[in-house]
Amino acid sequence: MKKYEASELIINEDGSVFHLHLKPEQLADRVILVGDQDRVEVVASHFDTREHEVKNREFHTITGTYKGKRITCISHGIGCDNLDIAINELDALANIDLKERQDKSEHRTLTLVRIGTCGGLQPDVPIGTYIASVKCIGFDGLLNYYAGRNDVCDLDLEKAFTTHMDWNPQKGAPYVAVADTSLIEQIAGKDMYRGITIACGGFYGPQGRQIRLKIQDPDQNRKIESFRYGDLKICNFEMESSALAGLASLLGHRAMTCCLVLANRHSKEMKTNYKEAIDSLIKLVLDRI
């Protein structure tokens, strides 16, 4: 059986994984992921009990119970690169014996739901809409570094999208990760908009924003808005969903992202006071996870 060397799987002196500073017994099977450290406390404010709280860098974790369900809430910061850390270390906690540095004999499947905010791209996804990301187009290139990415990606959608966009290869190859179908049904229910999400490698240029720097393709967002794949269309921008769905699929976990629309790029509107709306989404996910 393969043994993971100290330089590959870094474990702290207290037995916790390197970045998250979590120990295996502190992780529940149900995990809610949020970008903002402060939002962990918002989620945990609904818990009936609390067991553990750990903070390191942007990673803030609270594990507790909600209506009899043991749940871990963890913040991951902004960007797919942070998800690379969070998902690999969560999987290590679940499926590697950290003392022996070897895989456990039985695979433990985690249920991972990211709650975030996003920008809407279609006129029928106004501010306040809850979006469940069925398929996630990654502009970040993260999954392309892992073997087996073709086995968990929608290759036909990738081809259709790059053709439609007249994609410039200098920007790297986009990939299309697929959220867990059963989890989408469980969490999205009948009150979340289902569609394709683009996870961008940045907030400004990659999302078509121009301040002082011009972007490579000024027509990018118009082409994105007009793209169709069967009955799906690209409904929002955010920055983490593709890494979550792709890495979870490769590692054998159930994962999805649901977001609250704060801005609509089509109508040029933006909502900055959204605490009540995001709290409603949090309670919805807590009840359904």
Side-chain angles (χ1 to χ4, degrees), residues 30-67:
R30 297 178 177 94
V31 182
I32 291 176
L33 298 125
V34 295
D36 186 352
Q37 299 177 57
D38 293 337
R39 195 169 293 157
V40 174
E41 181 58 45
V42 177
V43 174
S45 70
H46 298 289
F47 287 179
D48 302 312
T49 63
R50 298 189 187 197
E51 299 174 17
H52 307 286
E53 181 170 7
V54 179
K55 291 183 180 180
N56 183 53
R57 301 187 186 186
E58 60 266 65
F59 305 107
H60 178 197
T61 304
I62 297 177
T63 295
T65 60
Y66 175 82
K67 296 183 179 180

Side-chain angles (χ1 to χ4, degrees), residues 13-280:
E13 291 183 0
D14 65 355
S16 63
V17 290
F18 187 56
H19 296 91
L20 304 186
H21 276 220
L22 286 176
K23 299 177 183 178
E25 63 271 17
Q26 296 173 324
L27 176 65
D29 289 340
R30 297 178 177 94
V31 182
I32 291 176
L33 298 125
V34 295
D36 186 352
Q37 299 177 57
D38 293 337
R39 195 169 293 157
V40 174
E41 181 58 45
V42 177
V43 174
S45 70
H46 298 289
F47 287 179
D48 302 312
T49 63
R50 298 189 187 197
E51 299 174 17
H52 307 286
E53 181 170 7
V54 179
K55 291 183 180 180
N56 183 53
R57 301 187 186 186
E58 60 266 65
F59 305 107
H60 178 197
T61 304
I62 297 177
T63 295
T65 60
Y66 175 82
K67 296 183 179 180
K69 298 180 289 190
R70 189 168 185 250
I71 297 172
T72 293
C73 182
I74 183 167
S75 62
H76 51 69
I78 297 175
C80 285
D81 51 343
N82 280 9
L83 266 293
D84 185 56
I85 292 171
I87 303 308
N88 274 291
E89 292 193 5
L90 288 172
D91 177 73
L93 289 165
N95 290 303
I96 296 175
D97 183 324
L98 300 186
K99 292 181 180 179
E100 298 297 327
R101 293 182 168 275
Q102 293 180 332
D103 290 341
K104 295 178 180 178
S105 57
E106 293 186 10
H107 181 271
R108 176 184 173 191
T109 301
L110 302 175
T111 296
L112 307 159
V113 179
R114 187 180 108 72
I115 300 173
T117 56
C118 69
L121 294 170
Q122 301 291 343
D124 61 341
V125 285
I127 290 171
T129 302
Y130 296 154
I131 294 177
S133 303
V134 177
K135 296 178 186 288
C136 311
I137 302 176
F139 280 6
D140 56 287
L142 175 67
L143 214 64
N144 297 332
Y145 288 86
Y146 289 94
R149 62 82 87 195
N150 285 0
D151 298 331
V152 299
C153 288
D154 188 329
L155 303 183
D156 290 337
L157 199 164
E158 285 180 15
K159 183 177 180 180
F161 178 74
T162 53
T163 299
H164 176 83
M165 296 293 294
D166 190 22
W167 190 260
N168 185 334
Q170 284 189 324
K171 295 192 289 189
Y175 61 92
V176 179
V178 182
D180 185 89
T181 304
S182 65
L183 189 57
I184 289 284
E185 293 301 321
Q186 177 182 333
I187 301 296
K190 296 181 179 179
D191 45 15
M192 292 188 190
Y193 188 106
R194 304 185 191 194
I196 302 170
T197 293
I198 290 180
C200 295
F203 184 78
Y204 290 96
Q207 295 188 27
R209 290 185 172 93
Q210 298 188 73
I211 302 180
R212 291 207 323 118
L213 292 175
K214 295 181 180 180
I215 62 173
Q216 180 270 328
D217 183 1
D219 205 27
Q220 170 187 285
N221 286 12
R222 184 200 63 78
K223 291 188 285 188
I224 287 172
E225 290 170 17
S226 66
F227 178 73
R228 298 291 182 272
Y229 186 73
D231 59 352
L232 293 175
K233 54 188 173 183
I234 298 171
C235 53
N236 62 322
F237 277 146
E238 51 88 77
M239 296 177 67
E240 294 88 16
S241 62
S242 59
L244 171 59
L247 290 173
S249 294
L250 286 173
L251 291 165
H253 303 294
R254 305 169 71 224
M256 67 165 288
T257 292
C258 51
C259 286
L260 166 69
V261 177
L262 295 187
N264 188 286
R265 304 296 297 282
H266 187 273
S267 63
K268 311 297 184 185
E269 297 175 311
M270 175 73 191
K271 180 180 179 67
T272 56
N273 182 15
Y274 57 88
K275 290 185 178 180
E276 185 175 336
I278 196 70
D279 195 51
S280 295

